[in-house]
Amino acid sequence: MTQTVTDDPSGALVRQVFTLFDEHQSRENGKHVERVMKENARLGFYNGSPVALGFTTRVVARHGNRDKKVLVIDPVEAELVRRIFTLYRDGDGRSGPMGVKTIATWLNEHGYRTKRGGLFGVAAVHTILTNRAYIGETTFNRRCSRTLRQKPVDQHIHGTVEPIVDGTLFEWVQQALPTRSPKVVAPRVLTGPILLTGLASCSCGAAMTLRTGTGGKGKVYQYYTCSACARKGKAACPGRSIRMDRLDSLVVDALTRNLLQPDRLATVLSAVIDARSRRAEEVEGRIKRLEQTRFEARDKLRRLVDLVESSDIVDDEIKSRIALRRDEIAKVDAELERLQAPRPGQEGFSHEVLARFGQLVAENIANGPIPFRKGYLRALLDRVEVDDGVVRLVGNTHVLAQAVKDGPANVQEVRRSVPKWRARRDIDGHCDHWEIQLRREA
């Protein structure tokens, strides 16, 4: 308030009136500014928020004394954005896929900087990996500028820009981020120096952890040992242990000989293909029944409408029956849309495809940095179970089929978490996991 008033009671009253008018005017100004900004966003113009890395602004029109700008790609920064997504999925060629923190460290060490010239942090990298503007989708009016609370979806204003990142890669990153979150999977499981961290478990159900021992000549040996025995003693578990190098080589050799051979892959995947074929037949039958139901409901609705048009009498019962038929048709349409959505193919795999997949994956699990090899193992295996005299390798046949379909270069993209206490079943009741049993030295 800029008006001058006295300090007596009358002045206080005038001051309050002026304050109310000023507040009302401020709200009106805010309402009009918001309306103009929304219309600006609907027309595809940029409203002035901080520009994301990879973009810059360009003036395309001038209205009065105001420039109208749009977002365009900055070629130099766009390459950095693509590099960040590539680092998350594939690494830098010398390591496996990188996490958010590792990417930030790598960028800072290689001299890259943020839009404002600062160092990259975890939040900055995570924001880039989740920003849908990089696939051409922008959203204005997403949250309140004062409270930062999310606004209802129907108030969002969507726009488009030229994409920087391939949509398939972006969606893969969105699926991978939750599975790699430290709240879900410990970072050591994905990037630690131990090959079977998160996979090796004792037959008692506890995870296997690292234990070291020193031989008579001072040589240090590393073992996988039952964590339950280490924490609770022999009453919890007898304490199964196996040398780390021995179990690592057993797992790699067993996968190479007993799974990644073309004939063995064909045998394992045949069950998945047969199950999907049976599922497809059931879905087709369900679709035919729903289409017949929809035809009958539409016929009944047509007769009700004809009755209303011929009699000119519409009572509450007829109205309710018409509403019932329309609701029935809407439900059937929704179910048909769900069933007719694209489903995984039922095609088989040629011998050449299986041989190429097995050869390349076998090379990748046997050679290279530990995080790189671990990524492939975690894509193929659910768990490595150590028992007395036996080692069991367990994997999911559906995940294996998806990996073969996507190709060896994308095996790590199918990384997932399938809790072993929730063994899933196919439609015919057969377990959808493959298993390899190995004899181990005492």
Side-chain angles (χ1 to χ4, degrees), residues 46 70 422 426:
Y46 170 70
V70 295
R422 293 184 59 191
D426 282 333

PDB file of all heavy atoms in Angstrom, residues 46 70 422 426:
ATOM      1  N   TYR A  46       7.263 -20.644 -25.302  1.00  0.00           N
ATOM      2  CA  TYR A  46       7.996 -20.886 -24.059  1.00  0.00           C
ATOM      3  C   TYR A  46       7.692 -19.787 -23.059  1.00  0.00           C
ATOM      4  O   TYR A  46       7.734 -18.597 -23.388  1.00  0.00           O
ATOM      5  CB  TYR A  46       9.489 -20.932 -24.389  1.00  0.00           C
ATOM      6  CG  TYR A  46      10.403 -20.950 -23.208  1.00  0.00           C
ATOM      7  CD1 TYR A  46      10.488 -22.055 -22.370  1.00  0.00           C
ATOM      8  CD2 TYR A  46      11.216 -19.852 -22.928  1.00  0.00           C
ATOM      9  CE1 TYR A  46      11.361 -22.064 -21.296  1.00  0.00           C
ATOM     10  CE2 TYR A  46      12.085 -19.851 -21.862  1.00  0.00           C
ATOM     11  CZ  TYR A  46      12.145 -20.959 -21.041  1.00  0.00           C
ATOM     12  OH  TYR A  46      13.000 -20.962 -19.981  1.00  0.00           O
ATOM     13  N   VAL A  70      10.372 -20.136 -28.555  1.00  0.00           N
ATOM     14  CA  VAL A  70      10.112 -21.573 -28.518  1.00  0.00           C
ATOM     15  C   VAL A  70      11.404 -22.285 -28.134  1.00  0.00           C
ATOM     16  O   VAL A  70      12.506 -21.730 -28.283  1.00  0.00           O
ATOM     17  CB  VAL A  70       9.606 -22.104 -29.876  1.00  0.00           C
ATOM     18  CG1 VAL A  70       8.250 -21.519 -30.224  1.00  0.00           C
ATOM     19  CG2 VAL A  70      10.626 -21.832 -30.976  1.00  0.00           C
ATOM     20  N   ARG A 422       7.770 -65.957  -4.466  1.00  0.00           N
ATOM     21  CA  ARG A 422       6.536 -65.763  -5.230  1.00  0.00           C
ATOM     22  C   ARG A 422       6.689 -66.453  -6.581  1.00  0.00           C
ATOM     23  O   ARG A 422       6.636 -65.834  -7.626  1.00  0.00           O
ATOM     24  CB  ARG A 422       6.231 -64.280  -5.429  1.00  0.00           C
ATOM     25  CG  ARG A 422       5.882 -63.546  -4.164  1.00  0.00           C
ATOM     26  CD  ARG A 422       5.499 -62.128  -4.446  1.00  0.00           C
ATOM     27  NE  ARG A 422       4.358 -62.047  -5.341  1.00  0.00           N
ATOM     28  CZ  ARG A 422       3.956 -60.915  -5.911  1.00  0.00           C
ATOM     29  NH1 ARG A 422       4.635 -59.811  -5.718  1.00  0.00           N
ATOM     30  NH2 ARG A 422       2.909 -60.907  -6.704  1.00  0.00           N
ATOM     31  N   ASP A 426       2.608 -70.838 -15.013  1.00  0.00           N
ATOM     32  CA  ASP A 426       1.998 -70.656 -16.319  1.00  0.00           C
ATOM     33  C   ASP A 426       0.533 -71.032 -16.249  1.00  0.00           C
ATOM     34  O   ASP A 426       0.048 -71.576 -15.263  1.00  0.00           O
ATOM     35  CB  ASP A 426       2.705 -71.524 -17.359  1.00  0.00           C
ATOM     36  CG  ASP A 426       4.022 -70.894 -17.794  1.00  0.00           C
ATOM     37  OD1 ASP A 426       4.132 -69.655 -17.711  1.00  0.00           O
ATOM     38  OD2 ASP A 426       4.908 -71.638 -18.197  1.00  0.00           O
TER      39      ASP A 426
END
